[in-house]
Amino acid sequence: MTRGILTALLVLSAGLALAARPNIVWIFSDDHSYQTIGAYGGRLEPLNLSPNIDRIAKEGMRFDRAYVGNSICAPSRATLLTGKHSHMNGKYDNRDAFNHDQQQFQKILQKNGYQTVMVGKIHLNGKMQGFDYWEVLPGQGKYHDPDFITEAGKTHYKGRYVTDVITERALNWLENERDKEKPFMLMVHHKAPHRNWDPADRHMSKFEGIEIPEPANLFDDYSGRETAANLQDMSIDKTMTLKNDLKVEGDRWINNPRYKERAKWFAAHKPEGQELVKWKYQTYMKDYLRTTWAVDESVGAVLKALEEQGLSDNTIVMYSSDQGFYMGEHGWFDKRFMYEESFRTPLVAMWPGKIKPGSVNSDLVQNIDFAETFLELADAPIPSDMQGKSLVPLMKGETPKDWRDSLYYHYYEYPGAHSVRRHEGVFDGRWKLIKFYGVDVPGGAEWELFDLQSDPAEMKSVYSNPENKAQIKRLKKKLNALKKQYQVPAVPTEQKSGKAKRK
Ligand code: CA
């Protein structure tokens, strides 16, 4: 064989290998709780809240133990892009600047022949890097009449609903702008259902007249836990406002066609005490579910577009959220705590011929794993300083024998919005050990221990039970080992302002 023919064959086979690499569609929402996704079951399942996301689970895999490392918006996105915990990517809280110059998975994908696209909410100030095309919301963005920023500048979408614009812009790229010879990574990042849960006009009557089931601990008195749960500022009762959250007070809302009737009803009835909390819960849930309904419609539109363009067979579609959210559990909305509803996040993935339809994975996975997963899917090198592990073997039903047996968590934004004390902890799938520390924590540190097998709602810490001594010793050892593994810097227990003392 001549050298020329050999070279031609090598080029051809390399080309075929590249062509076989899957496209990746990553759909990501903001504050979408697993409790409000039908595939996860639970008290809200009968409401049929997410038929299209459920379809991904039905035709693919549902991850039952997907968690985040720091349950808050922007740090979670920094982890998604870097494959690193907050202390390694520098984005500890929503206020920190994000260093865009650092290593991020999309830069590596791009170097390895992928087209990379980001549309929607990223919540990291500054210009995106490593994307062939990006069109993002400034900061939190707006539900109605949103602005979007691109490399070229700002566009205002008057009269439009944010979820619809994100879908439309993503599909416009898919249908009209992509290079059909190259594989792609398309990131569709929704703003919804972030606070203040302002739905599309067309969804305002959805769930009307329906009683949304309450969680058993809507009126939690926090007696089984230490200071942090007692002194948070994220309760439906005390924190959720009649003005911007429930939209029944203030000119901006009472004159708004979406909320006019609600405001009138409220002014006439003025519920109080427990009745008020129950009304707030119902109203909050319905607005939230209307915004997630639009997200689910978007998922349906993306799946349909992939089918229409003949891309379904060689595309993996994943759906997740930047963290979980409280749907009235513990009397709360918002996130931040290492307690299950915010620590855990939904994750479903479909990949025809590779992921077995209807499969369920219960390994401990975390958002540090996403970047590595995308890189392995693209057959691109995974840098050794990324801190997670690719989920590709798990998706194929081949979990490695040495898969992790515990997760590390660390929340930093205190003092700050919602007054959730700083804490870190370890979770092994059953036992959860949490250390609250720093200013406004009595004695500088408080510990909690939960056995999720006997107390899945985490209502009573069993840290002081003498029979748990050995368990606590084991978990503390595990926590220290994880901190060493992830290179967590020593954190002072005394601090006045979150930022000043962290260094
Ligand atoms: Ca969020």
Side-chain angles (χ1 to χ4, degrees):
M1 196 182 293
T2 69
R3 181 163 296 204
I5 294 172
L6 190 62
T7 307
L9 281 173
L10 282 172
V11 168
L12 184 67
S13 64
L16 285 174
L18 283 178
R21 296 187 298 173
N23 305 305
I24 308 166
V25 174
W26 169 257
I27 311 175
F28 199 53
S29 51
D30 192 329
D31 296 354
H32 197 177
S33 58
Y34 62 87
Q35 307 95 295
T36 53
I37 291 175
Y40 281 101
R43 74 182 197 274
L44 303 171
E45 187 193 1
L47 299 173
N48 185 29
L49 301 174
S50 53
N52 291 297
I53 299 170
D54 297 350
R55 186 187 147 197
I56 299 177
K58 204 173 156 195
E59 295 180 24
M61 180 175 272
R62 185 186 82 214
F63 289 83
D64 277 358
R65 282 182 174 153
Y67 290 87
V68 297
N70 179 6
S71 180
I72 182 169
C73 306
S76 171
R77 284 172 178 71
T79 291
L80 169 69
L81 299 181
T82 61
K84 293 175 181 176
H85 280 295
S86 306
H87 62 272
M88 296 301 277
N89 65 44
K91 185 74 180 151
Y92 292 85
D93 58 38
N94 276 344
R95 303 166 297 204
D96 286 316
F98 177 69
N99 173 15
H100 287 272
D101 293 336
Q102 68 185 298
Q103 170 182 284
Q104 296 167 58
F105 85 84
Q106 75 275 12
K107 298 183 186 183
I108 305 170
L109 278 193
Q110 208 175 31
K111 278 191 195 127
N112 283 271
Y114 267 64
Q115 300 170 82
T116 53
V117 176
M118 154 79 63
V119 178
K121 182 173 178 184
I122 189 62
H123 202 192
L124 299 170
N125 288 342
K127 285 196 170 184
M128 304 302 299
Q129 293 182 19
F131 289 104
D132 293 320
Y133 183 74
W134 56 271
E135 180 160 5
V136 301
L137 294 164
Q140 295 281 9
K142 284 161 61 185
Y143 274 106
H144 292 268
D145 307 308
D147 291 325
F148 280 77
I149 311 168
T150 65
E151 197 78 50
K154 197 185 270 188
T155 312
H156 183 63
Y157 289 88
K158 181 135 188 70
R160 301 297 312 282
Y161 188 61
V162 68
T163 306
D164 300 341
V165 178
I166 290 167
T167 313
E168 191 178 289
R169 296 306 297 155
L171 295 185
N172 178 62
W173 179 85
L174 188 73
E175 286 158 20
N176 305 318
E177 293 179 18
R178 83 189 151 91
D179 174 351
K180 293 186 173 150
E181 304 302 313
K182 284 168 82 179
F184 61 83
M185 167 88 202
L186 173 59
M187 306 181 83
V188 186
H189 278 207
H190 289 289
K191 167 188 170 57
H194 193 277
R195 192 184 188 186
N196 67 341
W197 321 293
D198 195 359
D201 294 359
R202 68 180 182 278
H203 293 146
M204 285 309 288
S205 60
K206 189 155 175 69
F207 304 113
E208 206 55 60
I210 288 175
E211 182 85 7
I212 310 289
E214 291 174 1
N217 55 1
L218 178 60
F219 293 97
D220 191 352
D221 65 1
Y222 315 116
S223 57
R225 279 128 294 158
E226 302 293 340
T227 312
N230 281 272
L231 297 182
Q232 42 60 42
D233 182 20
M234 51 187 263
S235 72
I236 291 175
D237 180 12
K238 296 191 174 72
T239 314
M240 189 178 278
T241 65
L242 292 174
K243 211 171 175 180
N244 288 330
D245 292 330
L246 299 155
K247 307 132 190 143
V248 289
E249 287 182 356
D251 291 345
R252 182 182 165 198
W253 303 110
I254 60 176
N255 296 322
N256 183 318
R258 284 193 300 285
Y259 301 105
K260 230 177 193 168
E261 290 307 311
R262 180 191 298 178
K264 260 190 220 162
W265 182 94
F266 189 83
H269 292 81
K270 287 258 159 79
E272 287 177 1
Q274 281 212 354
E275 284 314 303
L276 176 59
V277 174
K278 284 169 172 282
W279 176 84
K280 287 169 94 175
Y281 168 77
Q282 290 295 326
T283 307
Y284 153 56
M285 288 297 291
K286 286 173 190 174
D287 278 350
Y288 179 102
L289 294 174
R290 287 163 185 148
T291 71
T292 58
W293 188 256
V295 170
D296 192 73
E297 283 181 347
S298 170
V299 171
V302 171
L303 295 178
K304 187 163 170 264
L306 291 171
E307 276 157 26
E308 284 172 356
Q309 295 189 50
L311 292 166
S312 300
D313 285 349
N314 195 35
T315 300
I316 176 169
V317 180
M318 301 175 74
Y319 183 89
S320 189
S321 169
D322 61 347
Q323 58 341 263
F325 214 67
Y326 295 96
M327 303 279 93
E329 296 88 1
H330 303 292
W332 295 337
F333 64 101
D334 213 71
K335 54 258 183 181
R336 298 160 200 274
F337 277 107
M338 196 187 169
Y339 305 133
E340 208 66 0
E341 292 85 356
S342 59
F343 178 31
R344 207 176 132 191
T345 201
L347 176 64
V348 291
M350 69 192 254
W351 188 12
K354 299 289 198 306
I355 296 179
K356 198 174 147 219
S359 49
V360 175
N361 177 285
S362 57
D363 297 313
L364 291 169
V365 311
Q366 198 164 30
N367 57 345
I368 50 171
D369 300 327
F370 296 146
E372 295 82 339
T373 304
F374 304 144
L375 291 170
E376 183 172 351
L377 286 167
D379 203 18
I382 300 174
S384 60
D385 63 345
M386 284 191 173
Q387 297 189 303
K389 289 179 173 189
S390 165
L391 303 177
V392 172
L394 281 60
M395 292 182 193
K396 292 179 174 169
E398 298 159 2
T399 302
K401 284 214 163 54
D402 63 348
W403 190 256
R404 70 169 71 88
D405 61 8
S406 53
L407 299 170
Y408 177 69
Y409 182 84
H410 203 148
Y411 173 78
Y412 299 88
E413 197 179 278
Y414 186 89
H418 298 292
S419 289
V420 173
R421 272 74 180 154
R422 288 178 170 222
H423 57 290
E424 63 177 346
V426 57
F427 177 55
D428 70 2
R430 174 177 172 182
W431 293 91
K432 192 183 287 180
L433 180 74
I434 311 176
K435 179 194 185 185
F436 294 94
Y437 70 90
V439 286
D440 299 334
V441 175
E446 286 182 337
W447 293 85
E448 290 180 348
L449 174 72
F450 298 95
D451 174 2
L452 271 77
Q453 199 165 295
S454 60
D455 181 19
E458 296 162 302
M459 295 298 284
K460 187 165 175 30
S461 166
V462 290
Y463 185 80
S464 53
N465 292 13
E467 70 264 29
N468 290 328
K469 260 195 176 156
Q471 197 61 257
I472 290 167
K473 197 176 165 195
R474 177 184 73 85
L475 289 162
K476 284 188 176 172
K477 207 172 151 193
K478 184 54 88 180
L479 178 61
N480 285 331
L482 287 173
K483 289 174 75 166
K484 202 172 162 198
Q485 180 193 336
Y486 293 128
Q487 304 170 59
V488 183
V491 182
T493 52
E494 288 296 326
Q495 52 216 146
K496 284 208 174 59
S497 113
K499 295 185 86 86
K501 295 282 178 92
R502 195 172 53 229
K503 301 276 150 71

